């Protein structure tokens, strides 16, 4: 069974750093792109970027380029999303999602990680 | 970026109703469109891909149509478990973009 399991909820202060994770299982982790998707409270879905764990090829949305870093560790089957300096506007639910083998659709999703940034 | 516009943003419906949601792309995307269902507190779930192909395990009361810039998601007979928010997503070019969502409520 394909599963993406994300790390738990985080509460941080503005200016702090953070790294959240998404562990894949039940499939060949290195052969499928993993994307990160933001959902701000009560809002829609925003594609942040994607990584191919096999070679760490990474693409970012222009809206998030320079704001976050996406990485992956193929030895542990885990993808990461990190911030070096959080802002209150980063408060959101963050989902990882597996891209299908040949198209830009997302067939499996993690359960989400809620990030709250507040002073 | 390709903008995706969904309408309506809110639908009030009853069990057994036929519900249609539309999604318009700001430029042609051929059939590179997906529909997702999201229930409160849960991750989105893929329903339809390629504008009209039903994802495995999704009930046949869900159907999709369209190509180019105009797309529809139809629920032929609304069931209690279908009350949720629905999003379209274009898969034609990066950055991938989603519609604003349509909430289906009783």
């Amino acid at each position: 069974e394909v599963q993406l399991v994300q790390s738990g909820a985080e509460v941080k202060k503005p200016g702090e750093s953070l790294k959240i994770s998404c562990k894949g299982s039940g499939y060949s982790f290195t052969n499928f792109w993993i994307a990160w998707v933001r959902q701000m409270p009560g809002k829609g879905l925003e594609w942040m970027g994607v990584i191919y764990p096999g070679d760490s090829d990474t693409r970012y949305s222009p809206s998030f380029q320079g704001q976050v870093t996406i990485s992956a560790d193929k030895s542990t089957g885990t993808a990461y999303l990190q911030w070096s300096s959080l802002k209150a506007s980063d408060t959101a639910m963050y989902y990882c999602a597996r891209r299908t083998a040949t198209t830009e659709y997302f067939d499996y999703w993690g359960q989400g990680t809620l990030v709250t940034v507040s002073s | 970026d390709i903008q995706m516009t969904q309408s309506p943003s809110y639908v009030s419906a009853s069990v057994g109703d036929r519900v249609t949601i539309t999604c318009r792309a700001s430029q042609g995307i051929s059939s590179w469109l997906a529909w997702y269902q999201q229930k409160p507190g849960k991750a989105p779930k893929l329903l339809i891909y390629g504008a009209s192909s039903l994802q495995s395990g999704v009930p046949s009361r869900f159907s999709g149509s369209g190509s180019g810039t105009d797309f529809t998601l139809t629920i032929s007979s609304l069931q209690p478990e279908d009350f949720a928010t629905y999003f379209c997503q274009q898969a034609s070019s990066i950055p991938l973009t989603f519609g604003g969502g349509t909430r289906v409520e009783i």
Side-chain angles (χ1 to χ4, degrees), chain A residues 39 47 95 104-106 110, chain B residues 33 36 38 42-43 50 89 96:
Chain A
Q39 188 168 37
W47 181 83
Y95 294 102
E104 301 282 357
Y105 306 120
F106 303 111
Chain B
L33 185 102
Y36 299 86
Q38 186 179 33
K42 299 294 186 182
Q89 176 230 325
L96 306 179

Side-chain angles (χ1 to χ4, degrees), chain A residues 71-84:
Chain A
S71 60
D73 180 345
K74 59 185 179 183
S75 68
T76 61
T78 306
Y80 299 96
L81 177 67
Q82 69 180 86
W83 296 260
S84 59

Side-chain angles (χ1 to χ4, degrees), chain A residues 100 107-108, chain B residues 45-49 52-60:
Chain A
T100 65
D107 55 358
Y108 289 93
Chain B
K45 172 188 173 183
L46 179 63
L47 299 177
I48 301 280
Y49 63 92
S52 61
S53 296
L54 201 64
Q55 175 70 350
S56 177
V58 174
S60 59

